Every structure is written in C-alpha cells, then in structure tokens.
Amino acid sequence: KTKIIEFGRFAEERRNKRGEGKPETFDFLGFTHYCSKSQNGKFRVKRTTSRKKFRAKLKYFAEWLYQNMHTEIGDLIK
C-alpha cells in the first residue's frame, strides 16, 4: 500500500493556507510519526507507539493475566 502524504517542515503552513488541519501521520516500524515543534519552535518529527501495536500487546497481556489468574504470586515472580 503506497500513499503520498504531505509531511515535513512546511506541511503545516501549506495546509493552514488551504484551510486543512494538521499534517497527516504515518505508521512505520511500530511507531506513529507526526509533525511537531521542539521547545525552540523548530520543526521536529515526533514518534509515539502505534495504536495497532499497543492494542495487540494489551490483548496479549490480558490473555496472559486470565491464564495466570490463580497462580500464586511467588510462582509468578520466578
């Protein structure tokens, strides 16, 4: 799946001129990349954990908890 998105240093300015919202985001290697600014006000690409990966891990953890619900705490710590 290939899609060209407007992303980069001047994407926010161009989109504001056209009356559109914030620049688009994209997922890559388990992270969601988005445009932001540093504390100095300069352009910066920021990353956060991808929702898809996070939900998958939460689901896995919930299953593990359910399976180990009655295991004694001492055994879990080992």
Side-chain angles (χ1 to χ4, degrees):
K1 250 180 355 183
T2 303
K3 179 181 169 185
I4 298 174
I5 63 168
E6 191 167 19
F7 192 87
R9 191 169 158 194
F10 303 108
E12 190 170 3
E13 293 173 21
R14 288 188 222 124
R15 290 177 68 88
N16 283 338
K17 284 181 184 177
R18 292 194 303 258
E20 297 175 1
K22 294 181 179 181
E24 298 177 58
T25 64
F26 63 93
D27 286 348
F28 183 65
L29 295 177
F31 294 96
T32 299
H33 296 72
Y34 60 98
C35 295
S36 186
K37 292 183 180 176
S38 67
Q39 291 181 344
N40 300 333
K42 295 183 178 182
F43 172 77
R44 186 176 158 197
V45 176
K46 289 193 176 182
R47 295 166 198 85
T48 186
T49 305
S50 174
R51 286 183 181 183
K52 184 177 177 182
K53 293 277 184 177
F54 186 72
R55 287 184 188 189
K57 200 54 142 176
L58 267 181
K59 187 176 180 182
Y60 170 78
F61 187 63
E63 288 177 19
W64 183 87
L65 280 174
Y66 185 76
Q67 291 170 355
N68 293 288
M69 180 169 28
H70 299 293
T71 307
E72 290 191 27
I73 294 176
D75 295 335
L76 286 177
I77 292 173
K78 288 178 187 176

